Amino acid sequence: MATLHQYDYIFAFGVIFAFLDAWNIGANDVANSFATSVSSRSLTLMQAMVVATFCEFLGAVLVGSRVADTIRSKVISTSYFEQEPAVLMLTMVCALVGSSTWLSIATRVGLPVSTTRGKARRGKARRGDEAGAALAEDERGPIALRRDGSPRERGVIGAGIAALGGDGIVWGWKGVSQVFAAWAIAPCIAGCFGAILFLITKYGVLKRKNPLRAGFILIPFFFFITSGVLTMLVVWKGAHLTSSAPYLNLDELSAGVTLGAIFGVASVVTLFCVLFFLPFLHRRLVREDWTLKWYHVFFGPLLLRRGEVPPPPAGQRVNVVQDYYRGHKTREDLDRDGHSREIPDDIEGKEKEANVSTGSYTGSPTPTSTHPGALEHEELPAWKRWYMTPFDGPWYKPKNLPRAIVRGFFHGVDKDVVASQKKKSFLSGNLERTHATTPHYDNKTEHLYSFLQVLTAGVSSFGHGANDVSNAMGPFSAIYLVWSTGTLASKSPVPVWILAFGGASIVVGLWTYGYHIMRNLGNRITLHSPTRGFSMELGAAMTVILATRLALPVSTTQCIVGATVGVGLCSGNLRSVNWRMVLWSYAGWILTLPAAGLVAGCLMAIIVNAPQWGNST
């Protein structure tokens, strides 16, 4: 029950800007996490949205933090607000305004801004704007800025200098220097992990005489490694926050139990892979069974006794696997067509699927298997044709309104992200030439790794929701606490509805505008495929785990960009990486630090020091 009714308007503003902040996290941070899976075609945009929706929301509600400090990211000492708790409400609203304003601008211009950090995975934007708002509010001296109980960390450079001067900033390793160092350390470590993983795949599988056979041998090993690493990601990151999911007691797990959980999960997943997944893939890829459905995977070894593959219906051609490289030209294609040929706006719709044998990989090609007579372009399903049909008159007519609502709901997923990435711009440069320097490999072998990439993306998304949605809702939970109780507490329960509100807001942002960030990453940095995308995502996850144990403040965006560059350089050519997009990503990281803090700090300073009727002296 609300206590401070006189400040209902502050709470209302908190709700609005908390939604906008979480919406931007979905449209930016979550979107850049799934850009790799969509760009490699392991997931369609619709499939990525569905996976992210379930994983982010369930991670937030089921495993999210139930108890949090008054400010969830532990940025501001609440002792300065004990006499005036309502001022904390105002401070947190300004923090949300600063964060959401900067994130809205960054998302609109296509800057991939990380809103979370490694060890505690705090938002860079949020740490900046909370510190900025608090520093502007308090004139008594430096406000204690903490990072998970470690020595004090003094906010963002711009807002901190404006309020306290240069002496009020901790420039050493425990302060600003560590943030700066992370911009180089995180991408380099992730790039090394990603490159090592891809080189193992490249020389152990892709360039072998029979890459598909080599892939079948190595894929259980990768399932073991991937599931083990992802289990570490969930357990260690969840256990790091002692208040995270107390009913699971992750923080109380001993080293032996933790290792047992990691190896146990990895072993079970690998056993499932060998008993069920490999027979399914053998039937589909080796026997080329076009009648196989996804649920046949549960038949396991019985698939090996399945009869002969029936011929396809007359006049149809059935693709066993898709061409993961369609629309991406090789060097031979460019030489044949001419380097100056303009790229059409919709490559996916105008180019026919190319046989993978035109690729430049080494070894015996195993081209995409097709049966004569297939349709080059799949027709839209009936439900999609219904709402995509042009309106008969204005959209707001009663007969058109249902279709208009459905079309608006699916606006963010009815996008061809891969085709959009091909459109020329200053940042994209000449992507045809960049992609032409990257070898193409066997599609069937690439297909093996698409499942690993989906597993990596899904579990990483679950961990993101579990550990970060509560951080995103930190300022709002502080607003709600003060508004509903009129007091402060060192620790406060975070209601489940706030976690659900944050998770839902993130999902809405991803569905409605996530495509915008996705098309600015992925193939715009280097050519993606399932083997490359898997190496990038697992390399980024391994870097986050390492940073978690070493208390390095890295971000997932830094890690995925670094892993992408590392894998791209494995082609042996610096031109395989679009360095303009890499510099653009760095610009987003650098600008985030001062931008959000300055907005929040200036807004707080104006409000607190503004003249009032009867008190203008």
PDB file of all heavy atoms in Angstrom, residues 592-613:
ATOM      1  N   THR A 592      29.107   5.870 -23.869  1.00  0.00           N
ATOM      2  CA  THR A 592      28.134   5.502 -22.837  1.00  0.00           C
ATOM      3  C   THR A 592      28.532   6.036 -21.465  1.00  0.00           C
ATOM      4  O   THR A 592      27.684   6.471 -20.682  1.00  0.00           O
ATOM      5  CB  THR A 592      27.985   3.970 -22.779  1.00  0.00           C
ATOM      6  OG1 THR A 592      27.435   3.526 -24.008  1.00  0.00           O
ATOM      7  CG2 THR A 592      27.080   3.541 -21.640  1.00  0.00           C
ATOM      8  N   LEU A 593      29.820   5.979 -21.157  1.00  0.00           N
ATOM      9  CA  LEU A 593      30.276   6.380 -19.828  1.00  0.00           C
ATOM     10  C   LEU A 593      29.870   7.802 -19.452  1.00  0.00           C
ATOM     11  O   LEU A 593      29.239   8.019 -18.421  1.00  0.00           O
ATOM     12  CB  LEU A 593      31.794   6.202 -19.729  1.00  0.00           C
ATOM     13  CG  LEU A 593      32.270   4.752 -19.568  1.00  0.00           C
ATOM     14  CD1 LEU A 593      33.777   4.679 -19.722  1.00  0.00           C
ATOM     15  CD2 LEU A 593      31.847   4.204 -18.224  1.00  0.00           C
ATOM     16  N   PRO A 594      30.217   8.803 -20.268  1.00  0.00           N
ATOM     17  CA  PRO A 594      29.830  10.161 -19.860  1.00  0.00           C
ATOM     18  C   PRO A 594      28.413  10.544 -20.221  1.00  0.00           C
ATOM     19  O   PRO A 594      27.797  11.356 -19.522  1.00  0.00           O
ATOM     20  CB  PRO A 594      30.835  11.046 -20.619  1.00  0.00           C
ATOM     21  CG  PRO A 594      31.158  10.269 -21.851  1.00  0.00           C
ATOM     22  CD  PRO A 594      31.128   8.816 -21.450  1.00  0.00           C
ATOM     23  N   ALA A 595      27.864   9.989 -21.310  1.00  0.00           N
ATOM     24  CA  ALA A 595      26.595  10.500 -21.826  1.00  0.00           C
ATOM     25  C   ALA A 595      25.454  10.345 -20.823  1.00  0.00           C
ATOM     26  O   ALA A 595      24.763  11.319 -20.490  1.00  0.00           O
ATOM     27  CB  ALA A 595      26.250   9.796 -23.141  1.00  0.00           C
ATOM     28  N   ALA A 596      25.228   9.124 -20.345  1.00  0.00           N
ATOM     29  CA  ALA A 596      24.106   8.892 -19.439  1.00  0.00           C
ATOM     30  C   ALA A 596      24.290   9.645 -18.131  1.00  0.00           C
ATOM     31  O   ALA A 596      23.334  10.193 -17.571  1.00  0.00           O
ATOM     32  CB  ALA A 596      23.954   7.398 -19.171  1.00  0.00           C
ATOM     33  N   GLY A 597      25.519   9.688 -17.620  1.00  0.00           N
ATOM     34  CA  GLY A 597      25.777  10.389 -16.367  1.00  0.00           C
ATOM     35  C   GLY A 597      25.531  11.882 -16.470  1.00  0.00           C
ATOM     36  O   GLY A 597      24.986  12.508 -15.559  1.00  0.00           O
ATOM     37  N   LEU A 598      25.912  12.466 -17.606  1.00  0.00           N
ATOM     38  CA  LEU A 598      25.708  13.899 -17.776  1.00  0.00           C
ATOM     39  C   LEU A 598      24.223  14.238 -17.865  1.00  0.00           C
ATOM     40  O   LEU A 598      23.775  15.231 -17.283  1.00  0.00           O
ATOM     41  CB  LEU A 598      26.441  14.374 -19.044  1.00  0.00           C
ATOM     42  CG  LEU A 598      27.966  14.455 -18.933  1.00  0.00           C
ATOM     43  CD1 LEU A 598      28.572  14.807 -20.283  1.00  0.00           C
ATOM     44  CD2 LEU A 598      28.369  15.487 -17.882  1.00  0.00           C
ATOM     45  N   VAL A 599      23.467  13.415 -18.588  1.00  0.00           N
ATOM     46  CA  VAL A 599      22.032  13.680 -18.688  1.00  0.00           C
ATOM     47  C   VAL A 599      21.385  13.620 -17.313  1.00  0.00           C
ATOM     48  O   VAL A 599      20.638  14.525 -16.909  1.00  0.00           O
ATOM     49  CB  VAL A 599      21.364  12.674 -19.650  1.00  0.00           C
ATOM     50  CG1 VAL A 599      19.845  12.826 -19.609  1.00  0.00           C
ATOM     51  CG2 VAL A 599      21.876  12.863 -21.066  1.00  0.00           C
ATOM     52  N   ALA A 600      21.656  12.548 -16.562  1.00  0.00           N
ATOM     53  CA  ALA A 600      21.042  12.393 -15.244  1.00  0.00           C
ATOM     54  C   ALA A 600      21.540  13.442 -14.268  1.00  0.00           C
ATOM     55  O   ALA A 600      20.761  14.009 -13.485  1.00  0.00           O
ATOM     56  CB  ALA A 600      21.344  10.992 -14.706  1.00  0.00           C
ATOM     57  N   GLY A 601      22.854  13.708 -14.286  1.00  0.00           N
ATOM     58  CA  GLY A 601      23.414  14.684 -13.359  1.00  0.00           C
ATOM     59  C   GLY A 601      22.887  16.077 -13.596  1.00  0.00           C
ATOM     60  O   GLY A 601      22.525  16.792 -12.658  1.00  0.00           O
ATOM     61  N   CYS A 602      22.813  16.478 -14.863  1.00  0.00           N
ATOM     62  CA  CYS A 602      22.298  17.813 -15.183  1.00  0.00           C
ATOM     63  C   CYS A 602      20.827  17.936 -14.810  1.00  0.00           C
ATOM     64  O   CYS A 602      20.403  18.963 -14.264  1.00  0.00           O
ATOM     65  CB  CYS A 602      22.496  18.100 -16.669  1.00  0.00           C
ATOM     66  SG  CYS A 602      24.220  18.319 -17.166  1.00  0.00           S
ATOM     67  N   LEU A 603      20.054  16.901 -15.083  1.00  0.00           N
ATOM     68  CA  LEU A 603      18.636  16.950 -14.747  1.00  0.00           C
ATOM     69  C   LEU A 603      18.438  17.048 -13.240  1.00  0.00           C
ATOM     70  O   LEU A 603      17.633  17.843 -12.749  1.00  0.00           O
ATOM     71  CB  LEU A 603      17.935  15.700 -15.293  1.00  0.00           C
ATOM     72  CG  LEU A 603      16.436  15.580 -14.997  1.00  0.00           C
ATOM     73  CD1 LEU A 603      15.680  16.735 -15.641  1.00  0.00           C
ATOM     74  CD2 LEU A 603      15.907  14.237 -15.495  1.00  0.00           C
ATOM     75  N   MET A 604      19.202  16.265 -12.483  1.00  0.00           N
ATOM     76  CA  MET A 604      19.077  16.298 -11.026  1.00  0.00           C
ATOM     77  C   MET A 604      19.503  17.656 -10.477  1.00  0.00           C
ATOM     78  O   MET A 604      18.864  18.207  -9.564  1.00  0.00           O
ATOM     79  CB  MET A 604      19.945  15.183 -10.428  1.00  0.00           C
ATOM     80  CG  MET A 604      19.755  14.995  -8.938  1.00  0.00           C
ATOM     81  SD  MET A 604      18.107  14.315  -8.579  1.00  0.00           S
ATOM     82  CE  MET A 604      18.150  14.351  -6.788  1.00  0.00           C
ATOM     83  N   ALA A 605      20.578  18.212 -11.024  1.00  0.00           N
ATOM     84  CA  ALA A 605      21.055  19.516 -10.552  1.00  0.00           C
ATOM     85  C   ALA A 605      20.032  20.608 -10.805  1.00  0.00           C
ATOM     86  O   ALA A 605      19.797  21.478  -9.954  1.00  0.00           O
ATOM     87  CB  ALA A 605      22.374  19.846 -11.251  1.00  0.00           C
ATOM     88  N   ILE A 606      19.381  20.552 -11.972  1.00  0.00           N
ATOM     89  CA  ILE A 606      18.377  21.569 -12.292  1.00  0.00           C
ATOM     90  C   ILE A 606      17.191  21.471 -11.344  1.00  0.00           C
ATOM     91  O   ILE A 606      16.692  22.479 -10.822  1.00  0.00           O
ATOM     92  CB  ILE A 606      17.925  21.408 -13.758  1.00  0.00           C
ATOM     93  CG1 ILE A 606      19.076  21.787 -14.698  1.00  0.00           C
ATOM     94  CG2 ILE A 606      16.698  22.266 -14.037  1.00  0.00           C
ATOM     95  CD1 ILE A 606      18.780  21.496 -16.156  1.00  0.00           C
ATOM     96  N   ILE A 607      16.724  20.241 -11.096  1.00  0.00           N
ATOM     97  CA  ILE A 607      15.539  20.061 -10.249  1.00  0.00           C
ATOM     98  C   ILE A 607      15.818  20.461  -8.813  1.00  0.00           C
ATOM     99  O   ILE A 607      15.053  21.202  -8.180  1.00  0.00           O
ATOM    100  CB  ILE A 607      15.061  18.601 -10.306  1.00  0.00           C
ATOM    101  CG1 ILE A 607      14.573  18.265 -11.718  1.00  0.00           C
ATOM    102  CG2 ILE A 607      13.960  18.352  -9.278  1.00  0.00           C
ATOM    103  CD1 ILE A 607      14.199  16.812 -11.893  1.00  0.00           C
ATOM    104  N   VAL A 608      16.945  19.998  -8.260  1.00  0.00           N
ATOM    105  CA  VAL A 608      17.243  20.257  -6.848  1.00  0.00           C
ATOM    106  C   VAL A 608      17.534  21.726  -6.585  1.00  0.00           C
ATOM    107  O   VAL A 608      17.137  22.282  -5.551  1.00  0.00           O
ATOM    108  CB  VAL A 608      18.427  19.372  -6.401  1.00  0.00           C
ATOM    109  CG1 VAL A 608      18.900  19.775  -5.015  1.00  0.00           C
ATOM    110  CG2 VAL A 608      18.021  17.915  -6.410  1.00  0.00           C
ATOM    111  N   ASN A 609      18.206  22.365  -7.536  1.00  0.00           N
ATOM    112  CA  ASN A 609      18.619  23.759  -7.318  1.00  0.00           C
ATOM    113  C   ASN A 609      17.710  24.768  -8.001  1.00  0.00           C
ATOM    114  O   ASN A 609      18.042  25.944  -8.071  1.00  0.00           O
ATOM    115  CB  ASN A 609      20.056  23.952  -7.825  1.00  0.00           C
ATOM    116  CG  ASN A 609      21.040  23.065  -7.080  1.00  0.00           C
ATOM    117  OD1 ASN A 609      21.244  23.221  -5.888  1.00  0.00           O
ATOM    118  ND2 ASN A 609      21.645  22.128  -7.798  1.00  0.00           N
ATOM    119  N   ALA A 610      16.573  24.333  -8.505  1.00  0.00           N
ATOM    120  CA  ALA A 610      15.671  25.243  -9.209  1.00  0.00           C
ATOM    121  C   ALA A 610      15.016  26.210  -8.223  1.00  0.00           C
ATOM    122  O   ALA A 610      14.712  25.836  -7.084  1.00  0.00           O
ATOM    123  CB  ALA A 610      14.606  24.451  -9.955  1.00  0.00           C
ATOM    124  N   PRO A 611      14.784  27.453  -8.654  1.00  0.00           N
ATOM    125  CA  PRO A 611      14.074  28.409  -7.776  1.00  0.00           C
ATOM    126  C   PRO A 611      12.624  27.985  -7.573  1.00  0.00           C
ATOM    127  O   PRO A 611      12.022  27.352  -8.444  1.00  0.00           O
ATOM    128  CB  PRO A 611      14.168  29.731  -8.553  1.00  0.00           C
ATOM    129  CG  PRO A 611      14.375  29.321  -9.974  1.00  0.00           C
ATOM    130  CD  PRO A 611      15.175  28.042  -9.928  1.00  0.00           C
ATOM    131  N   GLN A 612      12.084  28.295  -6.394  1.00  0.00           N
ATOM    132  CA  GLN A 612      10.711  27.932  -6.056  1.00  0.00           C
ATOM    133  C   GLN A 612       9.959  29.161  -5.583  1.00  0.00           C
ATOM    134  O   GLN A 612      10.549  30.123  -5.092  1.00  0.00           O
ATOM    135  CB  GLN A 612      10.695  26.860  -4.963  1.00  0.00           C
ATOM    136  CG  GLN A 612      11.413  25.582  -5.331  1.00  0.00           C
ATOM    137  CD  GLN A 612      11.464  24.603  -4.165  1.00  0.00           C
ATOM    138  OE1 GLN A 612      10.975  24.898  -3.081  1.00  0.00           O
ATOM    139  NE2 GLN A 612      12.052  23.442  -4.406  1.00  0.00           N
ATOM    140  N   TRP A 613       8.615  29.113  -5.717  1.00  0.00           N
ATOM    141  CA  TRP A 613       7.802  30.218  -5.238  1.00  0.00           C
ATOM    142  C   TRP A 613       7.996  30.396  -3.731  1.00  0.00           C
ATOM    143  O   TRP A 613       7.873  29.459  -2.974  1.00  0.00           O
ATOM    144  CB  TRP A 613       6.317  29.964  -5.511  1.00  0.00           C
ATOM    145  CG  TRP A 613       5.957  30.041  -6.978  1.00  0.00           C
ATOM    146  CD1 TRP A 613       5.681  29.020  -7.806  1.00  0.00           C
ATOM    147  CD2 TRP A 613       5.842  31.240  -7.742  1.00  0.00           C
ATOM    148  NE1 TRP A 613       5.404  29.480  -9.064  1.00  0.00           N
ATOM    149  CE2 TRP A 613       5.490  30.854  -9.056  1.00  0.00           C
ATOM    150  CE3 TRP A 613       6.010  32.618  -7.451  1.00  0.00           C
ATOM    151  CZ2 TRP A 613       5.309  31.773 -10.082  1.00  0.00           C
ATOM    152  CZ3 TRP A 613       5.812  33.533  -8.476  1.00  0.00           C
ATOM    153  CH2 TRP A 613       5.461  33.106  -9.771  1.00  0.00           C
TER     154      TRP A 613
END
